[in-house]
Amino acid sequence: AAGVIQSPRHLIKEKRETATLKCYPIPRHDTVYWYQQGPGQDPQFLISFYEKMQSDKGSIPDRFSAQQFSDYHSELNMSSLELGDSALYFCASSYTSRNTDTQYFGPGTRLTVL
Amino acid sequence: AQSVAQPEDQVNVAEGNPLTVKCTYSVSGNPYLFWYVQYPNRGLQFLLKYITGDNLVKGSYGFEAEFNKSQTSFHLKKPSALVSDSALYFCAVREPDTGRRALTFGSGTRLQVQP
């Protein structure tokens, strides 16, 4: 079965640079979630989109923004990168309209800020 | 606010023995509860969930979990552990009555199954 696709899988950036992470949800899924997992930490919710509209917001820094496009893929844009942004960034998707409530996670993008 | 506690950082069990990974939760309403497993350098893999109905939920790879409302617990169990079950396990909760769909995760429990 098709899974959530994330690209790139690994990304290395310098401080103060920008980064864009992409997420392609499971086909027919209408909701995308972004989570950040720091080293040795549990995943922390950043932001979510339902039918291309922001549906919920967590602990996302103002330096970060995200959107969901007409084909339901999502991008997380990160500016003025800091060392503390080094983490594993997960995208998850679900089929909210069916209320199945299961979020399926992608393999993650490992961001390293030097 | 919803929260999840996984009191054990690590659980060690011998292959073939039963395993339990503990999870307790705190919500103001009815919880939706989930277990995910994370292998090294991999994403979170869904194991099972409790939404409503039977308190005993069966999931992937022989895992099951029991919802206990009075103890606010959702412990993960497996009758016979395999070495390949060694991984990081996360319990997560969502509170549907709030309208929020974001998951709140516990701190994770590392399961080590010895041959």
Side-chain angles (χ1 to χ4, degrees), chain B residues 4 7 11 15 17 25 34 38 40 46 48 52-54 61 72 77-78 82 96-97 101 108-109 114:
Chain B
V4 176
V11 169
E15 187 174 32
N17 283 0
Y25 65 89
F34 304 81
Q38 185 175 28
F46 170 72
L48 51 80
T52 187
D54 285 343
Y61 312 117
T72 62
K77 300 182 179 185
K78 187 173 182 181
L82 299 173
D97 297 340
R101 294 189 175 273
T109 298
Q114 283 105 18

Side-chain angles (χ1 to χ4, degrees), chain A residues 1 8 23 26 30 38 41 47 51 53 57 59 61 63 71 76 81 93 99-100:
Chain A
C23 169
I26 292 171
D30 51 20
Q41 304 292 315
I47 196 167
E51 287 290 346
M53 299 289 289
K57 194 171 182 179
S59 52
R63 299 178 289 109
D71 64 350
L76 178 65
L81 287 169
S93 73
N99 205 30
T100 59

Side-chain angles (χ1 to χ4, degrees), chain A residues 96-111:
Chain A
T96 300
S97 300
R98 292 183 66 179
N99 205 30
T100 59
D101 289 295
T102 300
Q103 294 179 28
Y104 294 93
F105 284 74
T109 294
R110 185 170 295 281
L111 172 66

Side-chain angles (χ1 to χ4, degrees), chain B residues 12-87:
Chain B
N12 298 306
V13 64
E15 187 174 32
N17 283 0
L19 70 87
T20 298
V21 182
K22 295 180 180 177
C23 170
T24 58
Y25 65 89
S26 174
V27 296
S28 55
N30 294 312
Y32 286 3
L33 293 156
F34 304 81
W35 276 102
Y36 287 86
V37 59
Q38 185 175 28
Y39 294 97
N41 300 313
R42 302 282 294 275
L44 295 163
Q45 187 173 339
F46 170 72
L47 279 180
L48 51 80
K49 67 181 178 183
Y50 172 82
I51 302 297
T52 187
D54 285 343
N55 290 341
L56 185 63
V57 178
K58 294 187 184 295
S60 307
Y61 312 117
F63 283 95
E64 59 188 30
E66 186 167 10
F67 172 64
N68 188 317
K69 189 172 184 178
S70 62
Q71 297 185 4
T72 62
S73 67
F74 189 57
H75 301 332
L76 181 70
K77 300 182 179 185
K78 187 173 182 181
S80 178
L82 299 173
V83 172
S84 57
D85 293 329
S86 299

